[in-house]
């Protein structure tokens, strides 16, 4: 497995070792010790799968308190995946990292606690998998506008299909700062 750091400390791109032949492929998608050695020391307590049509954008989501770190991957199709540092006091506050995840490259993206997360579907549809370090807490759930001009995310889509929640999300600067996570060096 190859682990690549990004410009955002703690955000990682993981390339699992894939063994394939004419029959298909095999890969280890999670091994606690191997991922701990790579710097992902959280326990995962919940695993989710979503399927979305082309043009769907989900995010930018976070929850606080009870933040969730996420290890995400694509089982079918292709997405543009984004992590945004929203930790108060962080030297990289408001900066983002993005990666294309698809069923062919088998990449995984680790988004630590304290970051907002979102993705848009580039293929006809995409089956998206994410393991979470904390349980979903609807009382702590929040969204940031996907097109916040201050974040300047270079989305490969201009008119996404959004949920009502995401369509009404506020820009990061308009969110009550008290609900944002705190940076802890």
């Amino acid at each position: 497995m190859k682990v690549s750091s990004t410009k955002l400390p703690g955000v990682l791109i993981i390339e699992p070792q894939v063994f394939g032949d004419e029959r298909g492929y095999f890969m280890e998608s999670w091994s606690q010790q191997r991922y701990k050695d790579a710097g992902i020391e959280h326990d995962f307590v919940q695993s989710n799968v979503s399927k979305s049509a082309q043009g769907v954008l989900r995010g930018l989501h976070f929850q606080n308190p009870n933040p969730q770190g996420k290890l995400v991957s694509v089982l079918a199709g292709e997405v543009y995946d984004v992590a945004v540092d929203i930790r108060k006091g962080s030297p990289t506050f408001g900066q983002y990292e993005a990666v294309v995840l698809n069923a062919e490259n088998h990449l995984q993206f680790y988004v630590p606690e304290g970051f907002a997360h979102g993705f848009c579907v580039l293929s006809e549809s995409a089956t998206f998998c994410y393991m979470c370090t904390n349980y979903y807490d609807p009382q702590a759930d929040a969204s940031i506008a996907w097109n916040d001009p201050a974040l300047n995310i270079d989305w490969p889509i201009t008119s996404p299909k959004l949920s009502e929640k995401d369509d009404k999300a506020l820009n990061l600067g308009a969110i009550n700062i008290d609900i944002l996570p705190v940076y802890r060096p």
Side-chain angles (χ1 to χ4, degrees):
M1 150 174 112
K2 179 182 172 188
V3 179
S4 301
S5 297
T6 67
K7 67 183 176 204
L8 300 179
V11 175
L12 303 171
I13 298 171
I14 300 154
E15 185 177 348
Q17 190 171 14
V18 179
F19 302 93
D21 59 26
E22 68 280 352
R23 299 169 299 148
Y25 72 90
F26 171 85
M27 67 176 234
E28 184 178 84
S29 62
W30 169 253
S31 170
Q32 187 178 32
Q33 187 59 54
R34 193 179 312 267
Y35 283 66
K36 182 178 180 181
D37 293 345
I40 301 172
E41 298 188 28
H42 293 283
D43 290 327
F44 292 98
V45 299
Q46 182 175 322
S47 180
N48 305 309
V49 175
S50 69
K51 184 172 183 180
S52 303
Q54 187 172 34
V56 167
L57 191 149
R58 297 183 184 272
L60 299 161
H61 301 151
F62 70 98
Q63 67 180 42
N64 194 46
N66 306 316
Q68 290 180 312
K70 298 176 182 174
L71 179 65
V72 302
S73 60
V74 170
L75 303 176
E78 182 172 76
V79 306
Y80 181 79
D81 201 84
V82 175
V84 179
D85 188 350
I86 59 166
R87 300 169 298 164
K88 294 182 286 193
S90 170
T92 56
F93 180 82
Q95 294 181 31
Y96 78 93
E97 185 65 52
V99 63
V100 172
L101 305 174
N102 61 49
E104 286 72 41
N105 68 19
H106 305 287
L107 294 178
Q108 297 174 316
F109 195 41
Y110 179 65
V111 181
E113 295 176 357
F115 288 73
H117 173 257
F119 67 91
C120 68
V121 179
L122 304 175
S123 53
E124 186 176 320
S125 67
T127 304
F128 190 81
C129 180
Y130 47 112
M131 295 181 9
C132 302
T133 61
N134 210 335
Y135 297 104
Y136 174 68
D137 181 352
Q139 302 301 331
D141 186 41
S143 292
I144 298 167
W146 70 278
N147 57 351
D148 181 342
L151 300 178
N152 197 31
I153 298 172
D154 188 20
W155 292 102
I157 190 168
T158 55
S159 299
K161 299 171 192 166
L162 301 170
S163 68
E164 183 177 342
K165 171 183 130 178
D166 291 342
D167 191 41
K168 294 181 178 181
L170 300 174
N171 289 340
L172 181 58
I175 291 178
N176 179 347
I177 197 152
D178 294 333
I179 72 165
L180 295 178
V182 176
Y183 172 70
R184 302 197 195 298

